[in-house]
Amino acid sequence: MLALASAVVAVGTVTGMLSALDDGRGSDEARPEVTGSPFLQPLPAVPTPSSATASASPSPSPSASASASEARPAPKPSKSASTTPRSEPASVRLYRHTDSQVLDWVRANHDDPRRPVIESRIADRPAAVWFADYTPSNITARVRAVTSAGAAKGGVPVVVPYAVPDRDCGGASQGGAPDLGAYDGWIEKFAAGLGSAEVVVILEPDAIAQSACLSEGQRSARFASLARAGRVLKAANPKARVYFDAGHSDWNPPQKQAGLLRRAGAASAASSDGIFSNVSNFNRTGDEVAYVRRTLDALGGPPGLGAVIDTSRNGNGAPADGEWCDPAGRRLGQAPTLTTGEARIDAYLWVKLPGESDGCRGTPGTFTPDYAYDLAR
């Protein structure tokens, strides 16, 4: 089933989000510890407290949301002709940035009975840091604050530039730079903050898969700008790994998505290390592994291209009814790691930030403890 995706920043909350980001508040992350087991084990149920004890951070963060999809059976271990994954970076520990909505909630709600579960299973795990506002004046310093902290702790940060013009096709997450010329300048300033240590860059979720709303001329111009962005990011920091938007396994077929990715520069070693999937859905890891491998095969390019998969909310797969807005019954997926043991799969990452609402369980983009607890327990 095909399904569109969108990143969650409701129009009514954009002002608060941008203010938070201007203060250096990007989004949610977690500590560099990576679990050794592939899935989280269940913990005892904790009574849900009254609304008087529930507190959410007032600053929404611009993490991408889910889109509709079909539920799938539990995945079997994926197989390939080669069982050797691509070479690992020198450091295999992901960095957990210390500034996030979930950490704010944990610090402010020490006596909340949900806190131990939320803290150990979400707040203590590494997740992406999003940069979703167009503020050329401070973007370099804000990116540098994350990358330099990661380097100092020997961890690999995951950063998400999310400011391409006409993002989300004018939907709930509309915004970004005023035009592609401005975006090109913003990306240069973003790249200047990457430093010289290892960093993973998730380049513009939905910008390629969700481009059908653009005219052919607009699409070509966006893809040219994304290809340029990849080159600028990798030239600024040769240790940066840059991944391009592949949507997810219930969106475009692999051949179609590969054609779009190729136009956007994802097959060039000068701009790309590969592709990412599932930021905008709940699809099971096995389905995404199969999908990104087929997409990479269709994409071509140098043999070193790999893929990362967002496993932040896919522990139970996608809901059968295709619900995308904070659907019930979802669970955290595989813990973030740069060591997958899977050929061509470079990482399982938490790009979408678990517990930040798409708008049904709480204010869009804002950490919602009830939702987080349901995902984590």
Side-chain angles (χ1 to χ4, degrees), residues 213 248 272 314 318 325-326:
C213 63
H248 55 73
S272 171
N314 72 345
C325 185
D326 306 337

Side-chain angles (χ1 to χ4, degrees), residues 150-221:
K153 293 188 176 181
V156 179
V158 179
V159 295
V160 185
Y162 186 61
V164 73
D166 301 314
R167 70 182 184 208
D168 197 26
C169 293
S173 299
Q174 62 185 302
D179 54 56
L180 288 173
Y183 177 74
D184 292 346
W186 184 86
I187 278 289
E188 289 181 357
K189 292 179 181 294
F190 185 102
L194 289 179
S196 58
E198 291 166 305
V199 58
V200 173
V201 182
I202 303 298
L203 180 62
E204 299 293 341
D206 295 349
I208 298 174
Q210 192 180 35
S211 60
C213 63
L214 304 175
S215 69
E216 178 55 32
Q218 290 171 327
R219 191 178 303 114
S220 294

Side-chain angles (χ1 to χ4, degrees), residues 33-43 117-118 120-125 311-316 331-336 350 354 372-377:
E33 176 185 2
V34 177
T35 181
S37 62
F39 289 95
L40 300 170
Q41 299 300 316
L43 290 177
V117 172
I118 291 173
S120 64
R121 297 202 160 183
I122 297 178
D124 280 357
R125 296 185 183 273
T311 59
S312 59
R313 305 171 299 164
N314 72 345
N316 276 354
R331 293 292 182 268
L332 300 176
Q334 184 154 345
W350 285 8
Y373 179 72
D374 286 347
L375 286 169
R377 65 195 175 103

Side-chain angles (χ1 to χ4, degrees), residues 203 226-244 264-274 301-302 304-305:
L203 180 62
L226 290 174
R228 179 184 183 277
R231 293 192 301 270
V232 167
L233 293 163
K234 290 188 69 63
N237 179 356
K239 290 185 178 180
R241 289 192 173 192
V242 180
Y243 295 90
F244 284 69
S268 169
S271 58
S272 171
D273 290 273
L305 295 184

